[in-house]
């Protein structure tokens, strides 16, 4: 029976990677390109347009725990397939929107669909099914690292050719294909027995009091703050340093290749390293990278050092968040536990761009911003060191 057989690691790598590349590429990556044409046609403020996207982030974080609990109790078939299909329909609705209230509501529903079918849910499937979760997750992240490389130019070309509404329609068609792929692949996934209790061992309210859980929550929340904050502010921060535009864009673009290179190296090391060791190394790089950014406002060498250190750490932490959580906290109740970790990170992820903007506005320069990031980076490293002391769950 398919439930007993489950999915092979090869199927997981290619199937999950394809689902995630399309899902993130359709639901998340193109948004910055859509804002200007939507603003021009609809006449809405940029604040309103960004509020919809923020609402999706909040809804996704809030829904992460119930989505994880569903996956633990009932398996991924229904939830992920429904989420992927709903996402395609919601992109069509977004392409037709003309009312601000409907716009916000659609984004909230998109956030719920993201919680159902994107990263946390996908990693719960891998941890439950894979014979070698670490290498499988590493291979998946290697492929998904090219999401922006593929979908940013694709979305830009679609907007230029068909306008923002037509582009969303085309992305909806791609997402519909991902929904079909999701349903077809997960037909072979193992499913818990009907009526089975949630396999969490202890209630979630007890697990979130564990020192290891709190350490990981602090680490991942601080990492999310840095990631979204830099995504919004890195280019203007580098421009303020007076370098040519080509240099600024090259420094910003180097993040992706360095991420992928780190993941390739980890994959080649295979089973020779633990996620604890990888996590200690990666989280140690984060404060070093932020220090390079803070100490080198006029130094291209130090700024390049920041780019490399942060990109390597960021690339590895995507794997640590999935496989490291399983190694430290155990596989039981993985969906629920990782959903709770995502819920802890949703507020830092959402407010980071605003916090950095206020810090810039108060000083009239980006000078203090890297020092704020140094402090947050210390929380990344400290939180993981606390968590890594726990014996394997």
């Amino acid at each position: 029976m398919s439930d007993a057989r489950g999915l092979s690691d090869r199927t997981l790598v290619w199937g999950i990677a394809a689902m995630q590349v399309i899902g993130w590429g359709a639901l998340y990556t193109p948004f910055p390109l859509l804002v200007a044409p939507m603003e021009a046609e609809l006449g809405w403020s940029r604040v309103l347009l960004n509020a919809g996207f923020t609402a999706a982030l909040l809804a996704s974080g809030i829904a992460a725990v119930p989505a994880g609990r569903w996956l633990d109790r009932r398996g991924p078939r229904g939830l992920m397939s429904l989420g992927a299909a709903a996402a395609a329909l919601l992109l069509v609705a977004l392409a037709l929107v003309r009312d601000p209230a409907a716009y916000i509501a659609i984004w909230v529903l998109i956030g719920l669909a993201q919680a159902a079918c994107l990263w946390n849910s996908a990693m719960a499937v891998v941890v439950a099914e894979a014979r070698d979760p670490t290498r499988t997750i590493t291979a998946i992240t290697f492929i998904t690292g090219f999401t922006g490389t593929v979908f940013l130019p694709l979305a830009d070309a679609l907007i230029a050719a068909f306008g923002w509404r037509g582009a969303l329609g085309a992305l909806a068609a791609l997402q519909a294909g991902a929904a079909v792929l999701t349903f077809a692949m997960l037909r072979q996934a193992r499913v818990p027995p009907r009526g089975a209790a949630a396999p969490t061992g202890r209630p979630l309210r007890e697990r979130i009091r564990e020192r290891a859980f709190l350490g990981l929550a602090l680490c991942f929340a601080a990492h999310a703050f840095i990631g979204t904050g830099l995504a919004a502010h890195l280019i203007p921060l580098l421009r303020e340093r007076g370098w040519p535009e080509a240099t600024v864009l090259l420094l910003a673009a180097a993040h992706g290749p360095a991420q992928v290179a780190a993941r390739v190296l980890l994959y080649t090391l295979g089973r020779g390293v633990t996620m604890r060791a990888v996590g200690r190394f990666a989280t140690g790089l984060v404060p070093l990278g932020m220090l390079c950014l803070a100490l080198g406002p006029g130094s291209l060498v130090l700024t390049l050092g920041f780019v490399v250190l942060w990109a390597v750490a960021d690339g590895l932490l995507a794997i640590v968040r999935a496989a490291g959580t399983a190694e430290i906290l155990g596989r039981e109740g993985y969906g629920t536990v990782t959903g709770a970790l995502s819920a802890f990170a949703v507020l830092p992820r959402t407010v980071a761009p605003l916090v950095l903007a206020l810090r810039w506005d108060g000083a009239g320069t980006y000078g203090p911003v890297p020092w704020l990031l140094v402090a947050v980076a210390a929380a990344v490293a400290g939180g993981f060191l606390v968590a890594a002391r726990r014996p394997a769950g």
Side-chain angles (χ1 to χ4, degrees), residues 87-179:
L89 294 175
L90 289 165
L91 286 172
V92 173
L94 193 60
L96 300 173
V97 73
R98 297 186 182 279
D99 177 72
Y103 173 79
I104 298 294
I106 290 167
W107 273 112
V108 170
L109 294 174
I110 287 175
L112 299 181
Q114 289 173 335
C117 67
L118 290 185
W119 192 250
N120 281 347
S121 296
M123 292 303 99
V125 174
V126 174
V127 168
E129 297 277 338
R131 282 68 175 168
D132 188 343
T134 298
R135 282 176 65 82
T136 303
I137 291 167
T138 303
I140 291 169
T141 59
F142 171 71
I143 299 169
T144 57
F146 293 98
T147 301
T149 306
V150 173
F151 271 86
L152 281 173
L154 175 61
D156 189 52
L158 289 171
I159 293 169
F162 306 111
W164 67 269
R165 295 185 188 274
L168 283 169
L171 293 171
L174 288 173
Q175 179 58 34

Side-chain angles (χ1 to χ4, degrees), residues 24 28 53-69 107-116 118-121 204 224 321 335-350:
W24 287 102
Y28 187 89
F53 191 67
T54 301
L57 293 176
L58 289 170
S60 178
I62 293 168
V65 173
R69 186 175 287 120
W107 273 112
V108 170
L109 294 174
I110 287 175
L112 299 181
Q114 289 173 335
L118 290 185
W119 192 250
N120 281 347
S121 296
L204 179 62
R321 183 178 174 186
T336 305
V337 169
T338 54
L341 289 171
S342 291
F344 272 85
V346 67
L347 185 60
R349 177 184 294 113
T350 305

Side-chain angles (χ1 to χ4, degrees), residues 198-284:
T200 56
R202 285 169 294 124
L204 179 62
R205 63 179 177 273
E206 292 183 12
R207 301 200 71 176
I208 64 176
R209 297 192 188 105
E210 291 181 7
R211 181 175 296 182
F213 178 94
L214 292 173
L216 288 179
L218 175 62
C219 172
F220 298 151
H223 174 240
F225 180 95
I226 294 172
T228 55
L230 285 176
H233 291 277
L234 180 59
I235 288 179
L237 185 154
L238 295 177
R239 283 175 176 157
E240 187 179 88
R241 297 184 170 189
W243 291 318
E245 185 70 6
T247 301
V248 168
L249 295 178
L250 186 61
L251 288 168
H255 186 86
Q259 267 192 324
V260 171
R263 291 166 180 171
V264 171
L265 177 60
L266 179 59
Y267 188 82
T268 60
L269 293 174
R271 300 178 182 85
V273 293
T274 67
M275 281 294 100
R276 282 175 173 77
V278 175
R280 291 188 188 102
F281 174 72
T283 56

Side-chain angles (χ1 to χ4, degrees), residues 333-388:
Y334 178 88
T336 305
V337 169
T338 54
L341 289 171
S342 291
F344 272 85
V346 67
L347 185 60
R349 177 184 294 113
T350 305
V351 304
L354 176 61
V355 170
L356 297 191
L358 291 173
R359 193 70 188 94
W360 168 82
D361 186 58
T365 172
Y366 274 107
V369 168
W371 291 106
L372 173 61
L373 296 178
V374 170
V376 178
V380 175
F384 190 83
L385 288 175
V386 169

